[in-house]
Amino acid sequence: FFQKTLNAVQSWFTLFGWPKGQNPISIPYSLRSDVCIVQLTVAQEKNFKRRVDKDKGFYEMLVHLNGQSISGIAASQSLSTDPVERMLQLHWQHTELLSFLKRKGAYLPHIMPEFLLSPEDYELWSEVNTGVRRGTMRSPGKLSGRRIFVLESQTFETMSKRAWTDVLLQMYKVFVLPRVSSRIVPDPSSLECLQNIPGIKSEPLCSNIYSRYERTILIWLNKNYEKNRKIVWKDNERGGIPPMRWIVNFDQDLLDGLVLAAQMAGYCPYLIPTHFVKMYTNPITHEQFMHNALILVKALHTINMDLDIKV
């Protein structure tokens, strides 16, 4: 599950995260090196070739998505040549990054700044803050009394990958999702076809799971599914017209592909006779779910929405 989430995040930020076109990222390797203008030589990162000709870094992506930079941190800046000073500067940058995202509404209480460091800098950070290495001792009291987690190298790599994935997911939540406007979604109570479906409130505090922008998307999904299901599958021979449903999440309720097909059919009705009419409207087996997924992928390719989607 986490690997699939990472792949999806990686694809989206590669395609849409940059101001001047696509730029491939590899989580966490390219992000750990892109936070500064000084490129570190890390064995695990040798296989990833960053497109330095476009001079793109993590903070340039942040400015592009947010529209403003973090106070005191430039998109590109030099670091100290002293390993300890460089590590401390990067740790400070990550601390400011997390604080900035939290002020914007990101939920990142489980991410420590040191988890965003490179393995070499994390090892140095651990030595400095635990006093293992002589001459680089630093008082643990300067961490405001918070507990220090010293992880083994393999555990750190797993934690770093998860931390950077969660940072990007929260950036998407606070910078991209707010672009969704409720003005484009009619009031569900005004739509006759939705009269019998429980409403989804878009007020900020009515859910502790989804933001109001995510709930706006759920309203849009409910509206289009209920409006289109009788149109898309009126001639279906693999189960007939699917039943009414209440769409309240983005995983289980979209699993059979019918809701997504209904959305696409609303904007590309010419896909109905060539693709969507062939879907199972009451899928039960794994083969039937796979059949529906393949039809969706083919439909996306037909309209040239090539987002590197794989079944």
Side-chain angles (χ1 to χ4, degrees), residues 31-32 35 58-63 66 68-73 89-108 111-113 115-117 163-164 166-168 170-171 174-175:
L31 299 176
R32 292 190 305 213
V35 293
F58 173 80
Y59 284 100
E60 184 181 353
M61 179 174 68
L62 181 71
V63 172
N66 175 47
Q68 67 181 87
S69 59
I70 302 176
S71 178
I73 301 179
Q89 185 177 346
L90 285 172
H91 191 274
W92 174 81
Q93 285 187 22
H94 296 327
T95 302
E96 292 299 308
L97 168 66
L98 294 174
S99 297
F100 175 77
L101 293 176
K102 289 174 184 177
R103 289 195 299 271
K104 292 291 185 177
Y107 186 74
L108 294 165
I111 304 299
M112 304 297 180
F115 295 158
L116 304 178
L117 294 170
W164 276 108
D166 287 352
V167 165
L168 292 181
Q170 291 299 309
M171 284 174 57
V174 300
F175 297 146

Side-chain angles (χ1 to χ4, degrees), residues 21-302:
Q22 301 178 15
N23 188 49
I25 66 169
S26 175
I27 300 173
Y29 309 117
S30 59
L31 299 176
R32 292 190 305 213
S33 61
D34 279 352
V35 293
C36 60
I37 202 169
V38 177
Q39 297 297 307
L40 304 178
T41 303
V42 181
Q44 295 90 334
E45 300 179 13
K46 285 182 178 178
N47 294 329
F48 181 82
K49 300 296 184 182
R50 179 169 171 256
R51 294 177 63 181
V52 295
D53 57 309
K54 292 193 175 182
D55 192 29
K56 296 180 178 181
F58 173 80
Y59 284 100
E60 184 181 353
M61 179 174 68
L62 181 71
V63 172
H64 170 64
L65 294 175
N66 175 47
Q68 67 181 87
S69 59
I70 302 176
S71 178
I73 301 179
S76 296
Q77 56 186 328
S78 59
L79 298 175
S80 172
T81 55
D82 178 76
V84 175
E85 290 300 322
R86 185 192 67 230
M87 177 274 295
L88 293 176
Q89 185 177 346
L90 285 172
H91 191 274
W92 174 81
Q93 285 187 22
H94 296 327
T95 302
E96 292 299 308
L97 168 66
L98 294 174
S99 297
F100 175 77
L101 293 176
K102 289 174 184 177
R103 289 195 299 271
K104 292 291 185 177
Y107 186 74
L108 294 165
H110 58 300
I111 304 299
M112 304 297 180
E114 53 269 24
F115 295 158
L116 304 178
L117 294 170
S118 69
E120 289 78 7
D121 283 329
Y122 177 75
E123 182 178 356
L124 186 58
W125 178 89
S126 301
E127 292 172 347
V128 167
N129 287 286
T130 57
V132 173
R133 178 187 292 180
R134 291 179 178 238
T136 56
M137 245 178 101
R138 188 177 178 218
S139 171
K142 293 190 177 181
L143 293 177
S144 303
R146 107 173 141 74
R147 183 178 176 185
I148 300 175
F149 293 90
V150 179
L151 307 176
E152 297 294 332
S153 58
Q154 185 174 356
T155 305
F156 171 76
E157 279 297 323
T158 301
M159 179 62 74
S160 180
K161 185 178 293 186
R162 174 67 187 273
W164 276 108
T165 301
D166 287 352
V167 165
L168 292 181
L169 281 170
Q170 291 299 309
M171 284 174 57
Y172 183 89
K173 186 184 83 170
V174 300
F175 297 146
V176 181
L177 276 182
R179 301 174 191 173
V180 176
S181 173
S182 59
R183 290 177 297 179
I184 64 174
V185 181
D187 180 3
S189 62
S190 67
L191 299 173
E192 183 178 353
C193 62
L194 298 183
Q195 290 293 328
N196 297 324
I197 298 180
I200 295 176
K201 297 181 179 180
S202 59
E203 286 77 10
L205 300 179
C206 71
S207 173
N208 64 348
I209 299 177
Y210 294 131
S211 67
R212 69 173 183 268
Y213 312 109
E214 291 168 305
R215 294 195 298 278
T216 298
I217 294 174
L218 286 174
I219 294 172
W220 173 70
L221 291 173
N222 276 284
K223 168 206 148 185
N224 277 326
Y225 175 75
E226 186 56 30
K227 178 182 177 181
N228 295 326
R229 66 185 178 91
K230 295 180 181 179
I231 300 173
V232 177
W233 292 288
K234 64 179 181 179
D235 298 322
N236 177 268
E237 298 180 357
R238 298 177 184 268
I241 297 173
M244 178 186 293
R245 67 170 69 176
W246 188 26
I247 304 157
V248 295
N249 58 61
F250 294 101
D251 44 19
Q252 291 298 317
D253 290 342
L254 306 186
L255 196 60
D256 58 13
L258 297 176
V259 175
L260 293 177
Q263 314 311 308
M264 293 180 62
Y267 299 92
C268 306
Y270 54 85
L271 293 174
I272 295 175
T274 58
H275 292 76
F276 302 141
V277 73
K278 303 173 185 177
M279 297 176 74
Y280 288 97
T281 55
N282 186 30
I284 299 175
T285 66
H286 292 295
E287 291 77 12
Q288 291 173 344
F289 278 91
M290 176 65 76
H291 173 87
N292 285 358
L294 288 171
I295 288 178
L296 270 178
V297 172
K298 289 179 180 178
L300 288 169
H301 288 164
T302 298

